Amino acid sequence: MTYSPAEMMATVAARELRDGEVVFVGIGLPNLACNLARATHAPRLVLIYESGAVGAEPERLPVSIGDPSLVTGSLMVCGMADVFQFLLQNGRIEVGFLGGAQIDRFGNINTTVVGSYQHPTVRLPGSGGAAEIAIHARRTIVISRLSRRAFPEAVDFITSPGHRMRGRTRSELGMPGAGPVRVITDKGILEADEDTGELVLASLYPGVTADEVRAAVGWPLRCRGTALGVEPPGEPELRLLREVLDPDGLYLRS
Amino acid sequence: MTYSPAEMMATVAARELRDGEVVFVGIGLPNLACNLARATHAPRLVLIYESGAVGAEPERLPVSIGDPSLVTGSLMVCGMADVFQFLLQNGRIEVGFLGGAQIDRFGNINTTVVGSYQHPTVRLPGSGGAAEIAIHARRTIVISRLSRRAFPEAVDFITSPGHRMRGRTRSELGMPGAGPVRVITDKGILEADEDTGELVLASLYPGVTADEVRAAVGWPLRCRGTALGVEPPGEPELRLLREVLDPDGLYLRS
Amino acid sequence: MRDAVAALVRDGDTVVIEGFTHLICFAAGHEIIRQRRRDLTLCRLTPDLIYDQMIAAGCARKLVFSWAGNPGAGSLHAFRRAVEKGEPPLELEEYSHFGMVARLSAGAARLPFWTLRDYMGTDLPVANPRIRRVTCPYTGEVLATVPALNPDVTIVHAQRADAQGNAQIWGLLGVQKEAALASERVIVVVEELVDQSVIRADPNRTMIPGLAVDAVVVEPWGAHPSYAQGYYDRDNDFYIGWEATSRDASSLTRYLEEFVFGVRNRAEYVERCGGLERLRASSRVCAGVNYGY
Amino acid sequence: MRDAVAALVRDGDTVVIEGFTHLICFAAGHEIIRQRRRDLTLCRLTPDLIYDQMIAAGCARKLVFSWAGNPGAGSLHAFRRAVEKGEPPLELEEYSHFGMVARLSAGAARLPFWTLRDYMGTDLPVANPRIRRVTCPYTGEVLATVPALNPDVTIVHAQRADAQGNAQIWGLLGVQKEAALASERVIVVVEELVDQSVIRADPNRTMIPGLAVDAVVVEPWGAHPSYAQGYYDRDNDFYIGWEATSRDASSLTRYLEEFVFGVRNRAEYVERCGGLERLRASSRVCAGVNYGY
C-alpha cells in the first residue's frame, strides 16, 4: 500500500507516544499522530491544548488549537494562566510537539524571523507557547520536512531552545525538560546525541539513503552506528488516517 | 424606642456606607450593617466575602463567611486566589470591616496573641484576611466594644496595621489604603486624626460622656473640638434589624 | 457599540481585545476602525485577523503579542507588510504566550511584575529587554520576569451578561478575566443580555464581575468570524480566505471598505456577510447543578 | 478511604486537607486519626474543627495556618491548649489568608516563591521569618514574598468525580485547585462517583484534572459537619457545640472515642450521628448552558 510522506510522519510520531502519557498537542500532524495513537496502542493518552482544553475528544478534525470541537466533551477546560502555570510549568506535560521554519544542528527551533530580528526578510508568527513547551515538556518531538533551508547549521533566532544554545547546555541553563529527543522528517528520524546534543541520523524511511538526508541538512550530519530502517504505516494505520482521522486529506495528502 | 448597644453599632456602621460601594464583609455586625444599608439608603452596595462570594444576597443570616447562603443567588463565586489578587490587591475594595481583641492608639489591631508571640497568655485566631484588608481596602471601619483591655496604648502584636506602626506611617510603608478611618464602639465613634494618625473621640452616643469613653481607653484620649452627638437608630432601622435581618437576636441582643 | 467605543477608546490608548480563538470581538475592532482611532498600542496573545485589519486600517502604532499568524491558514499579511516593509511602520514588543498571560496576571493582581520559569536559552530576552530576571529570596534561583500589562481599555466578548456587566463565559476562557481586571476601562460585549436572575442562578460561571465593567454592549454575532461556544461556529472559510484577501494590500482595503466602512453597525455587517445562519451552533446543553443548601 | 489513607498518607508527611468552610473532608481526617498517623505537618488556611481533632488525637507535630478559630462559635481549644500550655507541643508557622493562598499558588506553579503586596506594618514577618522580600526588576519596589508550599499529600472533597479523579466543584472553590496541583500525592473524596460522560458534559466545572489524582474515594456525607453545596447544609449546631466539647480535654477525648475510634468507617459515623437527613440540601438547580458549535 503506498503512502504519502505526511502519512509516514504521522505514523512515526504516533508510535513515539506511550499509553497514558499527557501530551501537549498542536494542530495538524501532531493532532493526527495523537489521535492515531489513541485509536491504536495508546487509548488512555491525555491530550492538552494550550487553549485550555484537557482530555479533548474532538468529533471533527480541529482546524485550530482553539477549535470548539476541542471543548465539547472534554474532561476539563481551564484558563490559560492555569494551563501554563499549573500544568506546563508544573511539570505535568510528558510530551510536547514542536515544528518550525528552521531547526538547527542542536535542535534549536526558529519560528520568529528569517534574517535579523530588527529587519527580517520573513516575519514568522513567533513563539506562541513553543518556547515554554520546549523548556518544560519532559521531552519534545519535532516534526518537519527536510530541506537545507529548514535545517541550517544554526537558526537565525532561537525561539525554542534545543540542546545547546550559544554553547550552553540545557542543564547549565536549568531547563526542566529533556528537549527535542526526536526530529521526525519526511525522509528519516534524527535524534539528539546524548553527549553532545547534536542531531544525528537515527533511522531511514524505506527507499531513502543517508546521503539524501545529508544533502538536505546544513551541517555535516553524523549517522548513528546502527541507523535503523523504519516500518512504514500498515494498512490499519492508513485506513484510520484516511477514513476516520483526516477524511478530507487536509494534512495528509502531500 | 430603646435599643441595645449592638443595634446602635450596626446602625452607625450602616450609615458609614455609601450607595454603590464595594464592601469586604465579615460576619456578625458588619454583615448586619451592610444589609441594613442595602435595605435603606444603599441598595446597590456590593458585598464581597473573602470566601469568594461576590454580590451575595443571603436568604438567611449567614453564620460564617463561608455560609452556603452566600453562594446561592450571588453574582459571582471565584477562588480565593482571585479574591485576594484580582479584587483586594487589585484595589477594588472600597470599604473593609475589621474587629479585634486589641485596638491601640494608632488603630493597630491585634487578633494574634495576648502576651508574647512565643508564649502567649491567650492564643487568638490570627490574621485570616485581616492583615491584607487593613493594607488594601481604600478605607476600613473597625467595630469593637470599649474596654481598657481592648483599647491599650499599644497592642501586643500588630496583626492589621493602623496609621502608625513602630513610628512609621502608612505612606512611608507604601500601603495603598487609607486605613481605619472610624472605630465604632458601644459608646461613641473614634476617628483617626489626619495629621498624627492617633484615634480621637469624634462623636458620642446619647447619654454617654467623654469621660466614660476616656475611662475605657488605655491612652490619654483627645477629643475633637466639635465632638458631635450621634442620632440613635430610628424605628425603621430597628424594625429591619429585629424583624428581618436578625430575628433570632444572634448578634443584636446585647 | 458606537457610544461605548466613542466614550472609552481614545487615540494613543493601550488596547486589549482578548479571546483565544474563541470570542474575539471583531465587532469592537471594526467600530474602532470606523471611528478612525490612531496610535493605538494593540496587545493580544494572537493578533489574529482582527488586529491584521486594524493594522491595515492604520489604527496601530505598536503591537504587543506572542503569536502572529492565521491559525491553520497562513500569515497575517498586513502585519507582515508592516514589519517586513514598514508599510505602515509598526513597533513590536514580543513575548511567548506564557509571558503575555503572566503580564496580564501581574496587571490584574496590580503587581509590577510576574515571575515565571521560562526564556532560558531563547533569544526572546535579547529581542525584548523587558524580559528580565529576579532572584528567589529562598533558594537563590534566578527566574524570568515580565512586567505587568495594565491596558487603558480592554474589550471582552462574552456569551451573556446582565445590565451591570456581570459576564458569564464558558468554553475556552483564555485570559479574559486577567485582561479585564488589569484594565483601567472595560467594555463587555455579549451575545445576549440576560436578566440578573440568570447570572445569579449559576454564579460559578461568572468570569468578570460587573463592578469592573464600564459598558455593556449587546452585539449578536459580534465575534464572527471567530466563534461563540453554544451560539455559532468559527467561520473557518473566512479565515482561509483571509490568506488571499490580506496578501494584497488593495484587496484588503476593498474588504475594509465593504465590510467595515461600508456598514454602519454590526447588524448591517451580518446582513452583508449573508448566510451566517449556516454557522449556528447545534444544541449540546449540559445539565444544571444544585446550588441548594 | 482506609486503603487510600494507608497507601498515601505517611507518618511525618506534610498534609493539606483544604476547603474554605465548604467541603472540608472530615472523613479523611477521621481516618488519619484512626490509623494513628504521627508527626504530621498539618497545613490549612483555617484549621477548623478537623485539625483541632487531629491535634487532640496527637497526629500533628506542626501547624501551618492563617486563621485558627471556630467561625461564629468560639475557639479551637485543642489548638489553644497546645499553643498556650504545650499539651501536646505544637510548632506553628503562621501567615495571613493571602499568604497561604500565595504559598499554594507558588507550589502549584512550581515556583519557589510568590510575590504579594502585603505584610508592611504587621508583626507577621517578625513572627515568621519565612515571610521575606523581593525587589521588582522594573520599578525597584520592594514587595513581600512567601515560599512555595508543596505538600506530600493533599486531600480534597468534591461534589463529584469520575473514576479517574476528574473532579467537579461548585459553590465556594477556596484553594483546592492550587493545593491539589501543588501536591506530590492527591486524594479526591466525593459525594458521588459519576460516569465520565457527566464530567465531559460540562468541562468548565472540572477543577482538578484526573491526571493529578492518585486515589478517588466515594464518601457520602464525607464533609459533615462542614457542608457540600447542593448536597447538605453545614451542621452549625455541631460547630456551636464544639466550643463545649473541645474546651475540656477529656470531653474531647470522649468525642474522639465515640465518633472516630468508635466507628470503623464513614457509614458508621453517619449512623452514629443520626438524623443528618435534616441537613439535606433543598433543590436550587441552575439551567445548563449550550456547549454546541
Side-chain angles (χ1 to χ4, degrees):
Chain A
M1 214 165 166
T2 61
Y3 51 88
S4 71
E7 287 168 340
M8 180 75 180
M9 293 161 82
T11 304
V12 169
R15 292 175 190 157
E16 291 287 331
L17 302 171
R18 296 189 277 266
D19 198 19
E21 283 190 317
V22 179
V23 188
F24 219 70
V25 196
I27 287 306
L29 289 185
N31 181 67
L32 287 170
C34 289
N35 280 304
L36 180 58
R38 289 206 318 139
T40 54
H41 66 283
R44 297 183 308 112
L45 212 61
V46 180
L47 311 194
I48 298 187
Y49 295 81
E50 67 188 12
S51 56
V54 176
E57 290 190 345
E59 289 174 2
R60 70 179 185 199
L61 191 61
V63 297
S64 88
I65 49 172
D67 197 282
S69 68
L70 300 172
V71 165
T72 316
S74 66
L75 286 173
M76 176 167 104
V77 174
C78 60
M80 293 182 77
D82 287 0
V83 171
F84 284 109
Q85 295 187 109
F86 296 169
L87 295 174
L88 183 58
Q89 188 170 264
N90 184 290
R92 301 279 170 180
I93 308 299
E94 285 158 310
V95 187
F97 278 102
L98 295 171
Q102 295 182 333
I103 297 143
D104 74 13
R105 186 169 188 160
F106 292 104
N108 298 304
I109 300 176
N110 174 16
T111 53
T112 302
V113 284
V114 177
S116 79
Y117 183 77
Q118 290 304 331
H119 302 286
T121 325
V122 182
R123 173 65 223 201
L124 303 165
S127 163
E132 36 265 4
I133 294 168
I135 288 168
H136 286 284
R138 294 210 206 139
R139 68 182 193 278
T140 56
I141 297 170
V142 181
I143 304 184
S144 181
R145 285 166 193 262
L146 280 173
S147 78
R148 282 190 90 88
R149 211 174 54 175
F151 284 77
E153 160 97 34
V155 291
D156 294 351
F157 186 98
I158 302 180
T159 313
S160 307
H163 295 285
R164 193 173 276 275
M165 288 65 58
R166 319 220 175 287
R168 304 189 66 193
T169 65
R170 292 180 72 86
S171 63
E172 283 167 14
L173 291 166
M175 292 189 211
V181 294
R182 298 269 191 296
V183 179
I184 296 170
T185 77
D186 52 338
K187 294 194 163 63
I189 304 173
L190 312 185
E191 281 181 16
D193 182 271
E194 275 158 36
D195 295 329
T196 63
E198 184 180 325
L199 296 181
V200 300
L201 180 58
S203 341
L204 287 168
Y205 295 166
V208 181
T209 66
D211 280 346
E212 273 179 75
V213 177
R214 274 195 203 98
V217 163
W219 68 90
L221 183 71
R222 292 196 301 115
C223 186
R224 274 227 196 289
T226 54
L228 301 163
V230 177
E231 190 71 23
E235 221 184 292
E237 287 162 322
L238 286 173
R239 202 172 317 116
L240 275 167
L241 285 172
R242 289 172 191 177
E243 291 169 22
V244 180
L245 299 173
D246 185 15
D248 299 334
L250 219 55
Y251 301 107
L252 291 176
R253 204 157 276 165
S254 59
Chain B
M1 213 163 166
T2 61
Y3 51 88
S4 72
E7 286 168 340
M8 181 73 182
M9 292 161 83
T11 303
V12 169
R15 293 177 190 155
E16 291 288 331
L17 302 170
R18 295 188 277 265
D19 198 20
E21 284 190 315
V22 178
V23 188
F24 219 68
V25 196
I27 286 306
L29 289 185
N31 180 68
L32 287 170
C34 290
N35 280 303
L36 179 58
R38 289 207 318 138
T40 54
H41 66 283
R44 297 184 307 113
L45 212 60
V46 180
L47 311 194
I48 299 187
Y49 295 82
E50 67 188 12
S51 56
V54 175
E57 290 189 347
E59 289 174 2
R60 71 180 183 197
L61 192 60
V63 299
S64 89
I65 49 173
D67 197 281
S69 68
L70 299 173
V71 166
T72 316
S74 67
L75 286 172
M76 176 167 103
V77 173
C78 60
M80 292 181 77
D82 287 359
V83 171
F84 284 109
Q85 295 186 111
F86 296 168
L87 295 174
L88 183 58
Q89 187 170 263
N90 184 291
R92 301 279 171 181
I93 308 298
E94 284 157 310
V95 187
F97 279 102
L98 294 172
Q102 296 181 332
I103 297 142
D104 74 13
R105 185 168 188 162
F106 292 104
N108 297 303
I109 300 177
N110 174 16
T111 53
T112 301
V113 284
V114 177
S116 79
Y117 184 78
Q118 290 305 329
H119 301 286
T121 325
V122 182
R123 174 64 223 203
L124 303 164
S127 162
E132 36 265 4
I133 294 168
I135 288 167
H136 285 284
R138 294 208 206 140
R139 70 181 192 277
T140 56
I141 296 169
V142 181
I143 303 184
S144 180
R145 284 166 195 262
L146 280 174
S147 78
R148 281 190 90 87
R149 211 174 56 175
F151 284 76
E153 160 98 36
V155 292
D156 293 352
F157 187 99
I158 301 179
T159 313
S160 306
H163 295 286
R164 193 172 277 273
M165 288 65 59
R166 318 218 175 288
R168 304 189 65 195
T169 65
R170 293 181 72 87
S171 64
E172 281 167 17
L173 291 164
M175 292 190 210
V181 293
R182 298 268 191 299
V183 178
I184 296 170
T185 77
D186 50 340
K187 294 193 164 60
I189 304 173
L190 313 184
E191 281 181 15
D193 181 90
E194 274 158 36
D195 295 328
T196 63
E198 184 181 324
L199 296 181
V200 299
L201 180 58
S203 341
L204 286 168
Y205 295 167
V208 181
T209 67
D211 280 346
E212 274 180 74
V213 176
R214 276 197 201 95
V217 162
W219 69 90
L221 183 70
R222 292 196 301 115
C223 185
R224 272 228 197 292
T226 53
L228 301 164
V230 178
E231 190 71 22
E235 220 184 292
E237 287 161 323
L238 286 173
R239 201 171 318 116
L240 275 166
L241 285 172
R242 290 172 189 176
E243 291 168 23
V244 180
L245 299 173
D246 186 15
D248 299 334
L250 220 55
Y251 301 107
L252 291 177
R253 203 156 277 164
S254 58
Chain C
M1 179 66 84
R2 188 182 304 168
D3 297 345
V5 168
L8 297 167
V9 184
R10 299 160 198 168
D11 284 354
D13 270 358
T14 296
V15 177
V16 169
I17 304 177
E18 255 309 331
F20 193 82
T21 318
H22 185 210
L23 297 171
I24 303 174
C25 194
F26 279 76
H30 286 185
E31 185 59 33
I32 290 170
I33 293 173
R34 263 195 300 275
Q35 296 194 18
R36 299 184 190 277
R37 287 289 173 284
R38 288 294 176 268
D39 294 323
L40 302 179
T41 294
L42 296 178
C43 315
R44 256 182 77 79
L45 275 68
T46 59
D48 204 87
L49 274 50
I50 185 58
Y51 281 8
D52 210 35
Q53 294 174 10
M54 292 170 82
I55 291 166
C59 302
R61 184 186 70 75
K62 181 175 177 180
L63 181 70
V64 183
F65 74 107
S66 46
W67 195 83
N70 178 356
S75 294
L76 301 176
H77 288 286
F79 159 78
R80 284 187 56 185
R81 272 191 295 279
V83 178
E84 294 169 7
K85 299 184 185 139
E87 299 167 0
L90 182 68
E91 193 184 331
L92 296 188
E93 185 175 326
E94 183 167 1
Y95 299 85
S96 62
H97 278 349
F98 189 11
M100 284 295 285
V101 168
R103 291 198 65 190
L104 289 166
S105 298
R110 305 286 158 155
L111 291 174
F113 72 100
W114 202 257
T115 305
L116 53 172
R117 185 175 277 114
D118 205 356
Y119 297 125
M120 50 284 228
T122 79
D123 285 340
L124 282 161
V126 180
N128 180 358
R130 303 266 286 156
I131 298 172
R132 297 188 187 163
R133 285 133 58 103
V134 72
T135 302
C136 173
Y138 303 95
T139 63
E141 268 178 283
V142 175
L143 294 145
T145 62
V146 291
L149 175 52
N150 287 105
D152 294 307
V153 58
T154 287
I155 299 164
V156 166
H157 199 87
Q159 279 108 334
R160 65 189 183 196
D162 63 22
Q164 290 170 19
N166 294 290
Q168 299 194 327
I169 297 177
W170 60 96
L172 298 180
L173 307 175
V175 288
Q176 278 95 314
K177 177 178 63 181
E178 291 82 359
L181 287 162
S183 195
E184 183 67 26
R185 305 186 285 278
V186 176
I187 303 174
V188 165
V189 185
V190 292
E191 290 295 321
E192 275 189 275
L193 188 72
V194 294
D195 190 82
Q196 194 169 83
S197 62
V198 174
I199 303 296
R200 289 189 182 274
D202 194 359
N204 282 113
R205 289 229 197 265
T206 307
M207 287 296 131
I208 298 168
L211 61 92
V213 174
D214 297 281
V216 180
V217 178
V218 187
E219 205 75 284
W221 299 96
H224 175 270
S226 156
Y227 74 100
Q229 193 98 31
Y231 290 78
Y232 45 89
D233 197 358
R234 190 166 182 264
D235 191 345
N236 289 318
D237 291 342
F238 187 92
Y239 274 84
I240 292 165
W242 189 251
E243 177 65 15
T245 305
S246 69
R247 192 183 276 279
D248 174 54
S250 61
S251 77
L252 205 169
T253 302
R254 277 196 305 278
Y255 172 81
L256 294 178
E257 289 300 339
E258 185 172 355
F259 287 91
V260 182
F261 293 111
V263 299
R264 278 173 304 174
N265 53 41
R266 196 63 177 176
E268 288 190 20
Y269 166 89
V270 170
E271 200 180 324
R272 183 144 311 173
C273 285
L276 293 191
E277 278 301 325
R278 76 184 188 285
L279 299 167
R280 181 74 70 186
S282 62
S283 179
R284 286 282 291 265
V285 178
C286 68
V289 298
N290 186 11
Y291 277 97
Y293 55 87
Chain D
M1 179 66 82
R2 189 180 303 168
D3 298 345
V5 167
L8 296 168
V9 184
R10 298 158 198 169
D11 284 353
D13 269 359
T14 296
V15 177
V16 169
I17 303 178
E18 255 309 330
F20 192 82
T21 320
H22 187 211
L23 297 171
I24 303 174
C25 194
F26 279 78
H30 286 185
E31 185 59 34
I32 290 170
I33 293 173
R34 267 195 296 275
Q35 296 193 18
R36 299 184 191 278
R37 286 289 172 286
R38 288 295 176 269
D39 294 322
L40 302 180
T41 294
L42 296 178
C43 314
R44 254 182 79 78
L45 275 67
T46 59
D48 204 87
L49 274 50
I50 185 59
Y51 281 8
D52 211 34
Q53 295 174 10
M54 293 171 80
I55 290 165
C59 301
R61 183 185 71 73
K62 181 175 177 180
L63 180 70
V64 183
F65 74 107
S66 45
W67 195 83
N70 178 356
S75 293
L76 302 176
H77 289 286
F79 158 78
R80 284 187 55 185
R81 272 191 295 279
V83 178
E84 294 169 8
K85 301 185 183 136
E87 299 168 358
L90 180 69
E91 192 184 331
L92 296 187
E93 186 176 326
E94 183 167 2
Y95 298 85
S96 62
H97 278 349
F98 190 11
M100 285 294 286
V101 168
R103 291 198 65 191
L104 289 166
S105 298
R110 306 287 157 153
L111 291 174
F113 72 101
W114 202 257
T115 305
L116 53 172
R117 185 174 279 115
D118 205 355
Y119 297 124
M120 51 286 228
T122 80
D123 286 340
L124 283 161
V126 180
N128 180 357
R130 303 266 287 156
I131 298 171
R132 295 187 188 163
R133 285 135 57 103
V134 72
T135 301
C136 171
Y138 303 94
T139 63
E141 267 178 283
V142 175
L143 294 147
T145 62
V146 291
L149 174 52
N150 288 106
D152 294 307
V153 58
T154 287
I155 299 165
V156 166
H157 198 88
Q159 278 108 334
R160 64 190 184 195
D162 64 20
Q164 290 169 20
N166 294 290
Q168 298 195 326
I169 296 177
W170 59 96
L172 298 180
L173 306 175
V175 289
Q176 278 95 314
K177 178 177 66 181
E178 291 82 359
L181 287 162
S183 196
E184 184 65 27
R185 306 186 286 278
V186 176
I187 302 175
V188 164
V189 184
V190 291
E191 290 295 321
E192 277 189 276
L193 188 73
V194 295
D195 191 83
Q196 194 168 84
S197 63
V198 173
I199 303 296
R200 289 188 183 274
D202 194 358
N204 281 113
R205 288 229 197 265
T206 307
M207 287 297 132
I208 299 169
L211 61 92
V213 174
D214 297 280
V216 180
V217 177
V218 186
E219 205 74 285
W221 298 97
H224 176 270
S226 155
Y227 74 100
Q229 193 98 32
Y231 289 79
Y232 45 88
D233 197 358
R234 190 165 181 265
D235 192 345
N236 289 317
D237 292 342
F238 187 92
Y239 274 83
I240 291 165
W242 189 252
E243 177 66 15
T245 306
S246 68
R247 191 184 277 281
D248 175 53
S250 61
S251 77
L252 205 169
T253 302
R254 278 196 304 278
Y255 173 82
L256 294 178
E257 289 301 339
E258 184 172 355
F259 287 91
V260 182
F261 292 111
V263 299
R264 278 173 305 174
N265 53 41
R266 196 63 179 174
E268 287 188 19
Y269 166 88
V270 170
E271 201 180 322
R272 183 145 312 176
C273 286
L276 293 191
E277 279 300 326
R278 76 184 188 286
L279 299 167
R280 182 73 70 184
S282 61
S283 178
R284 288 281 291 264
V285 178
C286 68
V289 298
N290 186 12
Y291 278 97
Y293 53 86

